[in-house]
Amino acid sequence: MPGDGKWTDTRVRKRLRLGIMGGTFDPIHYGHLVAAEEALVQFNLDKVLFMPTGTPARKTDQRVTPAEHRYLMTVIATASNPDFEVSRLEIDRPGVTYTVDTMTELRTRYGDSADLFFITGADAVLEILTWKDSARLADLCTLIAATRPGYDLSPFMERPVPSGLRVETMEVPALAISSTDIRARMASRRPVRYLLPEAVAAYVSKNRLYRGDG
Ligand code: ATP
Ligand code: MG
């Protein structure tokens, strides 16, 4: 369990500050990794748990790479960072993935021993605030919103947001990297070096993902 061992010798157990970085990770790239690392440092988190989505609720009309590939790419990308872990919670849960179910499950698992921080890019925050269950989410976690080029986070500076969800904003170095762009580049044989870890790019080639031929 994240954080175990680290606190076992302390008399008063410190509350675990657990970051959760959800995403399709199709494929994972440096935008995701930089955002997670910044959240870790800026919010003094003990761990960031990367959570590849099973069947993403908002991408049911899109082709998404099989979960096992997305999970393994996430493991490869995070393997060298001792503060990053990858969870199978969502990919092992049948049906469409809802973040509120994941947060409920983590809350049940950790009880009152952890504070949960859901890390998202600015585009995702704008969506989350429109979810019908964002009020339930508000009871479970705090949102950390990372800046992303082209998205104005200033509305979140005025609080509270309607659902009561706590939203913390975070500046990350502007990285105009997206999985959509990486897939398009790979399909048309354009370069992706320096946009995502080399080992992930090698995994993509080996498994012939994103070749644009279906
Ligand atoms: P796609 O283009 O397929 O939607 P994506 O690059 O947006 O992929 P996702 O897996 O959808 O990646 O994103 C997971 C999370 O990471 C979301 O909260 C998203 O806002 C955030 N994110 C994605 N790219 C960046 C980036 N370059 N900088 C900061 N956050 C990002
Ligand atoms: Mg996206």
Side-chain angles (χ1 to χ4, degrees), residues 1-185:
M1 219 161 44
D4 265 17
K6 200 167 176 180
W7 306 115
T8 40
D9 291 333
T10 42
R11 211 161 275 246
V12 180
R13 261 176 101 89
K14 180 185 171 291
R15 284 170 76 83
L16 181 73
R17 291 171 68 82
L18 183 64
I20 297 101
M21 178 88 199
T24 315
F25 303 132
D26 190 15
I28 188 165
H29 55 66
Y30 283 128
H32 301 130
L33 295 163
V34 166
E37 180 69 11
E38 279 298 317
L40 188 81
V41 174
Q42 290 191 31
F43 292 88
N44 198 20
L45 306 179
D46 297 300
K47 286 266 175 212
V48 175
L49 201 54
F50 283 71
M51 185 73 69
T53 52
T55 308
R58 280 155 305 285
K59 291 184 179 171
T60 46
D61 54 339
Q62 274 169 242
R63 247 194 124 84
V64 173
T65 302
E68 212 59 44
H69 282 313
R70 294 184 289 102
Y71 169 76
L72 285 175
M73 289 191 283
T74 308
V75 169
I76 289 167
T78 56
S80 64
N81 189 328
D83 298 322
F84 287 176
E85 287 184 8
V86 187
S87 171
R88 296 187 59 93
L89 207 68
E90 290 193 350
I91 63 172
D92 287 343
R93 188 167 63 220
V96 173
T97 304
Y98 293 100
T99 300
V100 69
D101 296 336
T102 306
M103 291 300 156
T104 304
E105 216 168 316
L106 289 174
R107 176 55 67 209
T108 306
R109 183 177 299 182
Y110 288 101
D112 269 344
S113 69
D115 290 320
L116 306 180
F117 297 84
F118 189 60
I119 307 161
T120 64
D123 53 334
V125 177
L126 298 172
E127 261 181 39
I128 289 168
L129 295 178
T130 66
W131 293 353
K132 62 171 174 17
D133 43 20
S134 64
R136 267 175 69 209
L137 205 58
D139 292 332
L140 297 163
C141 63
T142 299
L143 218 63
I144 298 179
T147 52
R148 199 177 176 185
Y151 294 92
D152 178 16
L153 282 176
S154 53
F156 306 115
M157 301 304 184
E158 305 151 22
R159 272 174 262 168
V161 297
S163 61
L165 195 62
R166 284 154 307 207
V167 183
E168 301 282 354
T169 55
M170 160 179 86
E171 294 265 328
V172 298
L175 284 176
I177 302 176
S178 75
S179 301
T180 301
D181 179 53
I182 290 174
R183 292 193 301 273
R185 282 170 173 269

